[in-house]
Amino acid sequence: MEYANLEQRILNAYLTMFPEFVPAQSAEVSISEQKDFYDLMKRLYQLLFHDPSLVVPTLHEDDAFPSRYKKGYGKPELETNVLKIKNAVEKLLQTMFRIGQGSDPKPNKRQLKILSALGIEDLKKLPTAWVWMSNRPGATQAAFTYCLFREDYVYSVDVYARLLGEEVFHRLERWMISHGYKPYDITSENGKLTLAYANPAWGSEPPRGGNEYKIKHTGISAQYDAYVGNPTALGLCIPYGMKNFLENFDSMNQKVKDFVIERTKKCDGCRYCVQTDKTGTRPLACMPINYKQTEYKLCPYFPGYNYAWTSIDDKLVDNLIEMLAFMDTFADGIVQRKKET
């Protein structure tokens, strides 16, 4: 998709991530009142997308980072400009949320102009569902932002199925659900709505989201980062790093072995694993793996960086299923060892 400016690229994320209308059937407000609020929020994001100058005074040439890790691009001002538009929108949404709570956040002139364009002239007379979404038990700005009316429904499943491809995504989903995995909407303070599937065999603690850090469960994580050229990403969740699984490389079937050799980082001597060693004697953490008459030195740390994709197909889904099934055979043993340490 082409954007007229950087701000439009970032604002498009709110439209892209806005889920289908799924109302709460037994709520204090009617379904039609929920639909009115849903339509208002959608109009808000459409309004800002078509005229970003409503929310920020300066527009910038469109650009995007080549990867979500923002390294090696040499444009520090890009991140600054991304944050400006992102913060402006989040402050607007925060103001709207607080107005609904009955507080007096003192909207600025830009915010008042936007609200007026939505037909909100009197801040004491708000749509019924607006007030409800701001005050119901457990109300959050994220649920307000994306109209997550039902607390027992995972809205991000539909969003990421649409972004990644309905047929292939649902094939992976069906396998996970049939093996006990559970989906979660993961929301954050910076307005992101991400998806996680986690296998409770690894523990009852809900997932944190993401697939890079402090992963304690098998599953997948999906996210959308508007500042990246390919904004949608799906990652494999590998609990506690690769060490436990590389130690059992010989027990993998050939498909899993091929997948692990293809995706796991080969040691490049970065020395991250020995950075705290002042003696210079600690060996590197890489693990030697012999496969098809070749020795590989594979890094066990932070595998999520390599096990991530911006699109999925049937071959990848096959590999993900095989890898998840293999890792899950170690759930009981690894969880028990973690409890004992």
Side-chain angles (χ1 to χ4, degrees), residues 204-216:
S204 58
E205 180 182 347
R208 300 159 52 94
N211 73 310
E212 293 99 348
Y213 303 109
K214 298 182 179 179
I215 304 302
K216 299 180 180 180

Side-chain angles (χ1 to χ4, degrees), residues 223-276:
Q223 64 189 70
Y224 185 93
D225 295 300
Y227 59 82
V228 184
N230 292 312
T232 307
L234 180 139
L236 178 65
C237 296
I238 300 174
Y240 307 106
M242 283 296 292
K243 185 175 186 294
N244 293 301
F245 308 113
L246 292 177
E247 288 175 340
N248 291 277
F249 184 84
D250 289 342
S251 65
M252 298 176 184
N253 65 37
Q254 185 163 334
K255 181 173 284 189
V256 175
K257 287 180 178 178
D258 288 342
F259 189 52
V260 166
I261 292 296
E262 175 192 350
R263 301 304 306 187
T264 307
K265 179 185 175 182
K266 282 70 176 177
C267 179
D268 58 8
C270 74
R271 302 189 66 80
Y272 172 87
C273 56
V274 293
Q275 62 181 314
T276 60

Side-chain angles (χ1 to χ4, degrees), residues 82-221:
V82 166
L83 288 174
K84 283 181 180 178
I85 179 64
K86 185 70 175 171
N87 289 341
V89 177
E90 288 304 310
K91 286 180 180 177
L92 168 64
L93 292 166
Q94 182 184 68
T95 296
M96 294 172 66
F97 183 63
R98 289 180 176 176
I99 290 172
Q101 292 178 322
S103 64
D104 183 17
K106 294 182 173 55
N108 60 38
K109 291 182 179 180
R110 286 185 176 278
Q111 293 171 345
L112 288 172
K113 183 177 180 180
I114 292 168
L115 293 175
S116 177
L118 294 173
I120 306 298
E121 302 290 351
D122 186 344
L123 301 185
K124 300 295 184 182
K125 296 180 180 179
L126 300 174
T128 304
W130 179 331
V131 176
W132 173 65
M133 286 295 287
S134 302
N135 292 279
R136 65 178 182 173
T140 66
Q141 185 177 320
F144 180 94
T145 296
Y146 294 106
C147 294
L148 310 182
F149 299 115
R150 283 177 54 180
E151 297 177 274
D152 62 343
Y153 188 85
V154 183
Y155 287 81
S156 56
V157 170
D158 300 331
V159 173
Y160 285 100
R162 166 169 46 83
L163 292 172
L164 291 164
E166 299 275 354
E167 184 175 346
V168 68
F169 177 86
H170 285 307
R171 187 164 78 84
L172 174 59
E173 180 196 32
R174 284 193 297 272
W175 183 90
M176 290 189 292
I177 294 298
S178 70
H179 287 76
Y181 287 69
K182 295 181 179 180
Y184 297 83
D185 279 330
I186 308 292
T187 57
S188 62
E189 293 181 358
N190 64 1
K192 287 179 66 173
L193 175 63
T194 63
L195 168 66
Y197 279 85
N199 187 344
W202 292 84
S204 58
E205 180 182 347
R208 300 159 52 94
N211 73 310
E212 293 99 348
Y213 303 109
K214 298 182 179 179
I215 304 302
K216 299 180 180 180
H217 61 87
T218 53
I220 63 166
S221 175

Side-chain angles (χ1 to χ4, degrees), residues 63-66 70-75 78:
D63 202 349
F65 288 97
K70 306 177 185 177
K71 292 183 178 179
Y73 197 43
K75 295 184 178 181
L78 175 56

